[in-house]
Amino acid sequence: MKISRREFIRDGVAAFTVSFAAPAFLNDLALAQGVRSRNLVVVYLSGGNDALNTVVPYQDQFYYSRRPAIAIPAGQLLQIGSDSSGKALGLHPRLAGLRTIFNEGRLAIVQRTGYANSSRSHFQGTDIWGTANPATTSGLGWLGRYLDTLPSPVDALAGWNSTRETPRALIAQRVAVPAIPDARTYSLASPNGAAEALNERNAATRIASNAPGDRPHLSFVNGSLIGALSTLDRVASVNTYAPSLVYPNNGFALALRTVAGSIARGIGTRVYWVQTGGFDTHSAQGNAGGGAYANLMGTYGDGMFAFYQDLRNQGLLNDTLVLQFSEFGRRISENGSQGTDHGAGGVMMAMGGMVRGGLYGTAPSLDPASSNGTLENNGADVRHETDFRAVYARVLENWLGANSAAILGGNFLAGAPAII
Amino acid sequence: MARGNWPVEHLLRRAGFGASADDLIRFEDASVSVAVDYLVEYDRQPDDVDSKIGQAAYVGITTGNGPFAPYTNIEHARQRWLFRMVHSQRPLQEKMALFWHNHFATAYSKLAGVVSGVQATKMLALKRGELPGPQGQIELFRQFGMGSFQTLLFEVARDPAMIVWLDGRTNFRARPQENFAREIMELFTFGVGNYTESDVYTAARVFTGWNLRLATPGQRNDDPNTYYEFFYNPNQHDINSKGFTFAIYPNGSGTIPARPASEGMQDGIDLIVALARHPETARRLARKLWGFFVSEIHAPEPAFVEAVSREYLLNNTEIRPVIRYILRSPWINDRSRWYTRYAWPVEFVVRSIREIGWNGLSIDTARTPLTNMGQQLFEPPDVAGWSLGPEWFSTGAMLARMNFASQLAANQRFNLSRDAAVARRTPEDLLGFFMNRLSPAPYDSAPYNELLSYLRTGVTWPLSDANLTAKSAGLAKLLVGSSEYQFV
């Protein structure tokens, strides 16, 4: 019986098995599994992004009456036209780069994404978006299950996580996705000179190749060790990458620069994970289109735009799909501290050379009247219109060429937005 | 000095940071119950560890420019806490402070953005008397961490750091702020499944008016001599009655009565008492304590959860008798539990320094490595605390552990090779020396032989001075960087 890392984490008693691929084979393996093939970059806005201030239904009078302090004046918004229900929409003023991408037809915006009975807990919500199953917050992640469909043995760099902790979405059964928060420090130090350092590295690899069946937790940590040791050299090759432009100097943009380097170097990674935090804006979101939330939008939008231009300049845009999500949207009415509390429906975006740009889904009416079916929780929150798993399904089928029903545990393609 | 009292060494890893060389002598013939008394009744040991900072016999600190100011400089506060973990005669006090720091996880960076870095550090790490102002949150955990949970919860609810962290300062009567209200139920007490969304809104109303204020209004808040203090503002308290879906009072009533604003703080106290004494809070704490003390490999045994939660409730939510009960129980002491808990990064760092040595080392050396391992003190990733257990062990974090092992071994190479000179004759001698000095979980024969094979590679035995230094450092790195060393 094969046991996933996560089940192992939960139950602790089962055997974790990992097949150790010898480092020498890895480049061939990467080639076989598709260097320069399509890759997916998942961008997570952590904390619950305030979708209504990202993509603003600015002709809705309730937008202003329910957000007297934090509403963005209509005149500042970046016009992106109207959705299929005729609602005019504007992007946050700090998303100028995304508006350019939108105008070039390479940005898809999917409004009102989520699921029924949306969790208002960050932790449950993030886990649900990770498992792609609202009924469970544990077990394998949807991207992990995709990685598990790759031919065996799965390359240790098939997934690339640019944060320190492995997100649930990347928890796989057959591969420990490496965490590479900074490629420059992803190397092995030694207290000795070069020859002895090599002896140590070889010894460390052999010591960690032990996978005792009676101590699966030890095998598990050895799996991480081997994962690190066997990927060092390829990750190091990214450090000499010279991007075609200067990225903004923040963690999010620099992570995207590293991803661009990895794509350009043909590392062979299929799924990247990048995230940026601070979206839990309970207080002081800012007024008149400025302040804390504007800074968050600037970080997100400027990073995405730099990445987009860099990939385009390198001729790699058609190989890449960026998919952005957050664990929930926020409450419609602002709270007493000029912030917003946890809500429900949110917004997803997809960006890339093969994306069919445009507006998908319809904006909510923000009228709190009980007859308004686009809201829930007594008119407090946005009700989802598009199941987030429909977006996942479309990406799995039409971009990664995978069987989405097998990975998602059901067919969610019906009515999926045709973003790709 | 030799290892051998395995049951006591096991307890010292769990309820402390591993046995120091002194501990190995002190506890050579000690029984488990003697060791438990030593650990739990730590008030009998002196609380003078901070006075050792800067003395030659202890691990060093790095102050940069200016004096050591662990009450206003967060990097200094981190060093002071690590210093205490390495050298305290009251290891369980530091261990429980760490447990509560993860439980009531509060991060410096948000506080600093709101009230300045100076006040944020004071709110987290000030010791009474160092500067004007209430003691910092970590001191609160040291003072109340073994006392009644009900008291601890009350102290945390009015702790200035918590009021900034979970936005209590913007919880106004007209616009209740749900952040603290949600987390006191979801994370601090009985957990998801025991309350509804409407309870969250109601709890927010309960805590309206629980605020803080600058002691010297109008003063710049980056002045170290001013401070924030708790302030109950009756004008902002919602005086209406408040109904919950669970019992607040022993008679089963879930409704907090309407009260005049001047007595409104009692609303919060009533809710805190109800939450602290709720049987599901007792069980949730029992499960957390299982993971912290007993095992992360084995799931909490139902009998343990029932017994520990009963102990907690019978003792009026007092933590000390609960910890004593756990440490004396067969659940933790059975040898099947040895090395079944994943070491947190700070535990790994502190234990490795205690075993490898610190002569000439600054504790600040661990700062960046700890961040890379995923645990910066006073900076948990969010209010749920760190992701524990196997989740510490991403490839990047494991690499950071190996690299810290390397850095420490390089720093201590001459001390190590001097001590190991007695074992320079054969690879078996040298490996035996290090197995006695360090405390990894047992190696299977294959990796054990690989360690010997490493020692044989490229050198002749007996070792020359240069090779003794190189192999001692290399072996220390391999052992501390191996999976076997990542468990306590």
Side-chain angles (χ1 to χ4, degrees):
Chain A
M1 183 176 70
K2 283 234 170 188
I3 297 296
S4 75
R5 292 169 69 85
R6 179 64 58 160
E7 283 164 322
F8 169 70
I9 288 164
R10 295 289 171 202
D11 304 331
V13 290
F16 168 72
T17 58
V18 60
S19 51
F20 300 128
F25 298 137
L26 282 173
N27 283 320
D28 294 342
L29 193 57
L31 278 167
Q33 294 185 1
V35 170
R36 291 270 167 108
S37 66
R38 288 176 169 184
N39 59 77
L40 173 66
V41 183
V42 175
V43 169
Y44 166 41
L45 306 183
S46 148
N49 177 36
D50 185 17
L52 286 173
N53 269 15
T54 313
V55 182
V56 182
Y58 61 90
Q59 287 180 341
D60 191 322
Q61 60 178 21
F62 293 100
Y63 173 70
Y64 296 97
S65 63
R66 299 181 70 174
R67 299 188 157 207
I70 66 163
I72 301 161
Q76 291 187 29
L77 293 166
L78 308 174
Q79 300 294 321
I80 52 170
S82 300
D83 65 25
S84 62
S85 69
K87 289 240 182 192
L89 296 160
L91 287 179
H92 190 283
R94 291 292 304 276
L95 295 178
L98 288 186
R99 206 260 299 259
T100 300
I101 304 172
F102 184 86
N103 288 343
E104 292 179 6
R106 297 289 173 258
L107 182 74
I109 297 172
V110 189
Q111 306 185 80
R112 285 208 284 146
T113 46
Y115 53 96
N117 300 316
S118 180
S119 173
R120 267 70 166 179
S121 156
H122 293 294
F123 319 106
Q124 285 196 322
T126 307
D127 281 342
I128 286 168
W129 282 79
T131 61
N133 180 356
T136 180
T137 55
S138 62
L140 301 175
W142 73 285
L143 297 166
R145 295 194 297 266
Y146 161 70
L147 294 173
D148 283 338
T149 67
L150 296 176
S152 195
V154 183
D155 176 21
L157 276 173
W160 178 307
N161 162 33
S162 68
T163 63
R164 287 203 169 80
E165 292 176 10
T166 307
R168 175 167 306 280
L170 284 173
I171 302 285
Q173 186 166 335
R174 294 173 48 223
V175 61
V177 173
I180 309 172
D182 185 346
R184 291 164 301 182
T185 59
Y186 201 77
S187 60
L188 187 64
S190 168
N192 290 308
E196 188 63 15
L198 184 61
N199 291 340
E200 292 161 14
R201 180 169 164 176
N202 291 338
T205 302
R206 287 195 297 263
I207 292 164
S209 297
N210 181 42
D214 59 337
R215 286 187 289 174
H217 46 290
L218 209 61
S219 307
F220 174 86
V221 176
N222 275 336
S224 289
L225 256 162
I226 292 292
L229 293 166
S230 63
T231 53
L232 289 174
D233 298 334
R234 277 191 291 161
V235 172
S237 75
V238 173
N239 291 323
T240 55
Y241 172 65
S244 63
L245 50 76
V246 177
Y247 280 76
N249 187 23
N250 60 58
F252 177 63
L254 297 178
L256 288 173
R257 186 182 71 177
T258 303
V259 169
S262 170
I263 295 170
R265 288 278 182 266
I267 295 289
T269 298
R270 307 297 286 268
V271 177
Y272 297 90
W273 181 276
V274 178
Q275 71 184 56
T276 178
F279 286 85
D280 194 18
T281 49
H282 283 281
S283 60
Q285 274 188 235
N287 318 111
Y293 187 72
N295 292 336
L296 294 171
M297 287 288 95
T299 298
Y300 167 55
D302 295 348
M304 291 277 278
F305 191 49
F307 187 56
Y308 173 81
Q309 294 175 94
D310 192 20
L311 290 179
R312 191 182 55 193
N313 296 343
Q314 311 266 6
L316 296 168
L317 196 58
N318 287 352
D319 296 343
T320 305
L321 174 67
V322 178
L323 181 67
Q324 170 267 315
F325 80 100
S326 189
E327 68 264 38
F328 45 65
R330 304 192 76 83
R331 198 145 295 168
I332 297 167
S333 297
E334 67 186 33
N335 62 25
S337 18
Q338 303 196 1
T340 44
D341 294 321
H342 303 180
V347 63
M348 296 176 79
M349 296 190 193
M351 181 193 92
M354 305 300 282
V355 164
R356 297 180 190 169
L359 283 163
Y360 295 83
T362 60
S365 160
L366 303 182
D367 184 347
S370 59
S371 57
N372 178 2
T374 65
L375 304 187
E376 63 183 49
N377 191 15
N378 300 317
D381 296 324
V382 173
R383 183 188 296 278
H384 85 285
E385 175 186 47
T386 299
D387 192 302
F388 71 109
R389 291 166 293 182
V391 180
Y392 287 1
R394 186 82 189 183
V395 169
L396 287 166
E397 296 274 347
N398 288 41
W399 183 247
L400 297 174
N403 179 343
S404 69
I407 289 169
L408 299 175
N411 189 340
F412 293 94
L413 282 169
I419 56 176
I420 190 87
Chain B
M1 178 207 82
R3 294 189 181 276
N5 192 346
W6 306 117
V8 167
E9 287 187 38
H10 163 69
L11 275 181
L12 291 172
R13 282 192 300 276
R14 292 293 173 80
F17 297 89
S20 65
D22 287 348
D23 290 338
L24 289 176
I25 296 165
R26 185 199 316 238
F27 294 108
E28 194 169 1
D29 302 313
S31 66
V32 161
S33 90
V34 165
V36 170
D37 277 351
Y38 167 84
L39 287 163
V40 172
E41 304 302 332
Y42 56 69
D43 293 341
R44 295 173 192 163
Q45 277 86 253
D47 185 21
D48 59 352
V49 58
D50 289 346
S51 69
K52 319 280 193 202
I53 294 175
Q55 292 186 21
Y58 299 86
V59 70
I61 47 138
T62 302
T63 58
N65 298 321
F68 186 59
Y71 29 81
T72 52
N73 178 324
I74 195 66
E75 292 302 348
H76 294 185
R78 291 182 174 123
Q79 292 184 59
R80 174 157 73 177
W81 196 2
L82 288 171
F83 183 94
R84 292 179 68 107
M85 292 183 202
V86 173
H87 292 301
S88 176
Q89 299 297 303
R90 303 170 157 200
L92 183 57
Q93 187 174 28
E94 299 309 317
K95 206 76 189 249
M96 288 308 292
L98 190 59
F99 177 84
W100 295 122
H101 179 42
N102 183 59
H103 186 81
F104 295 109
T106 302
Y108 166 81
S109 55
K110 173 171 174 175
L111 272 55
V114 176
V115 297
S116 82
V118 165
Q119 296 300 332
T121 307
K122 288 183 72 175
M123 283 182 180
L124 290 170
L126 180 74
K127 285 176 71 177
R128 271 209 189 89
E130 288 177 328
L131 282 172
Q135 66 181 350
Q137 193 184 71
I138 203 66
E139 282 289 298
L140 193 152
F141 295 154
R142 290 193 182 107
Q143 181 181 350
F144 297 102
M146 290 281 269
S148 102
F149 181 72
Q150 184 177 302
T151 303
L152 178 62
L153 196 57
F154 173 65
E155 293 296 333
V156 166
R158 61 178 191 151
D159 169 39
M162 182 59 72
I163 287 172
V164 176
W165 171 237
L166 293 184
D167 301 314
R169 67 197 180 94
T170 58
N171 187 12
F172 302 120
R173 185 180 53 184
R175 306 297 287 274
Q177 221 286 0
E178 297 161 16
N179 206 359
F180 177 73
R182 179 181 304 279
E183 307 309 3
I184 194 175
M185 294 189 284
E186 176 177 339
L187 297 173
F188 300 162
T189 59
F190 53 20
V192 171
N194 296 297
Y195 60 90
T196 66
E197 278 296 301
S198 85
D199 289 327
V200 174
Y201 310 149
T202 310
R205 293 169 50 217
V206 162
F207 289 108
T208 46
W210 290 50
N211 213 316
L212 77 177
R213 65 181 169 195
L214 198 59
T216 51
Q219 192 154 356
R220 286 175 57 104
N221 67 1
D222 57 358
D223 181 337
N225 287 306
T226 192
Y227 56 90
Y228 287 89
E229 61 189 355
F230 175 76
F231 165 58
Y232 170 69
N233 182 353
N235 297 324
Q236 283 300 338
H237 183 70
D238 179 335
I239 59 169
N240 299 306
S241 72
K242 302 168 185 82
F244 288 89
T245 64
F246 51 89
I248 299 291
Y249 300 105
N251 67 5
S253 164
T255 300
I256 294 175
R259 290 191 170 102
S262 60
E263 296 166 25
M265 254 190 94
Q266 190 62 41
D267 292 2
I269 294 169
D270 290 355
L271 177 60
I272 283 168
V273 170
L275 290 172
R277 292 171 176 269
H278 196 284
E280 290 303 325
T281 297
R283 293 193 186 97
R284 188 158 176 276
L285 285 173
R287 287 191 295 270
K288 272 192 113 160
L289 290 168
W290 171 282
F292 193 70
F293 285 109
V294 178
S295 177
E296 290 174 320
I297 312 299
H298 310 123
E301 289 182 11
F304 172 92
V305 174
E306 286 315 305
V308 168
S309 54
R310 191 173 58 241
E311 202 70 16
Y312 167 89
L313 293 170
L314 283 176
N315 283 286
N316 290 316
T317 82
E318 287 286 326
I319 298 299
R320 190 183 303 269
V322 170
I323 303 298
R324 185 189 293 109
Y325 179 84
I326 293 171
L327 296 184
R328 298 181 74 118
S329 76
W331 281 297
I332 184 174
N333 286 302
D334 189 275
R335 63 177 298 170
S336 67
R337 306 291 188 212
W338 297 357
Y339 298 108
T340 59
R341 185 168 158 285
Y342 298 83
W344 296 16
V346 294
E347 293 178 314
F348 163 77
V349 160
V350 170
R351 174 169 154 237
S352 61
I353 290 172
R354 283 164 66 86
E355 293 181 353
I356 295 279
W358 57 77
N359 190 6
L361 179 78
S362 168
I363 197 68
D364 198 43
T365 309
R367 184 197 338 171
T368 302
L370 274 171
T371 301
N372 292 336
M373 293 174 212
Q375 189 172 39
Q376 192 177 20
L377 291 172
F378 301 117
E379 202 64 60
D382 54 51
V383 63
W386 286 279
S387 298
L388 310 178
E391 302 199 34
W392 291 118
F393 291 92
S394 68
T395 56
M398 192 59 227
L399 198 53
R401 290 191 187 220
M402 281 192 280
N403 285 339
F404 180 74
S406 174
Q407 198 175 359
L408 183 61
N411 182 282
Q412 297 295 309
R413 58 193 300 157
F414 296 112
N415 298 325
L416 286 174
S417 58
R418 182 195 58 223
D419 294 351
V422 294
R424 72 196 306 167
R425 211 171 51 80
T426 70
E428 289 76 10
D429 285 351
L430 193 63
L431 186 54
F433 171 85
F434 276 95
M435 288 294 187
N436 186 53
R437 175 122 171 183
L438 306 175
S439 61
Y443 288 87
D444 287 340
S445 61
Y448 189 86
N449 289 329
E450 293 294 351
L451 287 164
L452 288 174
S453 163
Y454 161 73
L455 290 177
R456 292 189 192 103
T457 302
V459 294
T460 53
W461 292 78
L463 291 173
S464 67
D465 284 352
N467 284 339
L468 176 64
T469 304
K471 286 297 183 189
S472 293
L475 182 60
K477 166 195 157 181
L478 286 174
L479 293 171
V480 174
S482 72
S483 297
E484 284 78 355
Y485 198 80
Q486 311 312 316
F487 293 88
V488 291

